[in-house]
Amino acid sequence: MRLEAITWERLAGELARYGDGLSAADGGPWLALGIDGAPAARTGESAERLARELRLLGRAVLVISTEGFLRPASLRFEYGKRDPDAYVDGWYDTGALWREVFGPLEAGGSGRVLPDLWDPVTDRATRTPYHSLPERGVVVVHGPFLLGHWFPFALSVHLRLSPGALRRRTAESERWTLPAFARYEDEVAPTERADVVVRADDPSHPAWSGLPGSGVNPRTA
């Protein structure tokens, strides 16, 4: 895969301008964009940068972290608190994401999106009110394991960390998750599924694959 050096700020601007020209595949008035990556890749920072650039283009944007859609502790920890397979398969409530985020954005939907559902600290429902997106509104969803669920992203971005960088940038207490990301790489192949791949090994010097159709898209490189 050919990659080009880029700054995070320019990356956000390029993605925003490209996203601003997209339409939902089903013809609906809203867009969903996805930033996929391990926690060590800081997907939230990239999502917020992208949101800022989209707002400068006049788009209403809601940033959603999958951390707000964790399942209750009784389900997450059914096989222990450090089970890598459970982390991949059972921690995130993908059904709730479909129901509360992606479903309302479908053509003919309400546009009323729930920003989060569950607080993992209190292990209780957050009771956050619904957010009504105007037409041309954008939801930017970020977090791990986003690809492979057929979420209807108009544009998906994978922040890639090599195994060595992932280990270095993951706190020792969280390194039990490393096999989960290795499995994700093997089974889902996110660099092949994503529209845009960003190498984030060095947080100060990212590199990207370019926009779809640019000639260096990971789908064809």
Side-chain angles (χ1 to χ4, degrees), residues 22-154:
L22 295 176
S23 299
D26 65 0
W30 306 285
L31 283 180
L33 311 180
I35 308 290
D36 173 68
R42 304 174 185 172
T43 59
E45 294 180 9
S46 292
E48 292 293 348
R49 290 190 196 97
L50 176 55
R52 286 195 296 270
E53 293 294 329
L54 284 165
R55 290 178 185 123
L56 290 175
L57 296 173
R59 306 295 286 257
V61 186
L62 178 64
V63 176
I64 292 180
S65 169
T66 58
E67 287 295 307
F69 286 85
L70 288 170
R71 288 191 167 100
S74 60
L75 299 177
R76 296 200 311 277
F77 303 147
E78 182 178 1
Y79 301 101
K81 293 186 176 182
R82 295 191 171 196
D83 185 289
D85 289 325
Y87 181 48
V88 177
D89 298 326
W91 276 44
Y92 295 93
D93 195 340
T94 55
L97 281 166
W98 274 106
R99 182 179 68 252
E100 304 291 359
V101 177
F102 299 112
L105 301 182
E106 294 176 353
S110 66
R112 293 179 68 248
V113 175
L114 190 65
D116 52 59
L117 179 66
W118 200 258
D119 185 335
V121 176
T122 64
D123 200 35
R124 295 178 181 273
T126 57
R127 303 187 184 280
T128 301
Y130 282 86
H131 182 98
S132 293
L133 277 175
E135 290 193 5
R136 300 186 72 249
V138 182
V139 167
V140 180
V141 180
H142 70 91
F145 314 130
L146 283 180
L147 304 179
H149 295 291
W150 303 104
F151 291 146
F153 293 127

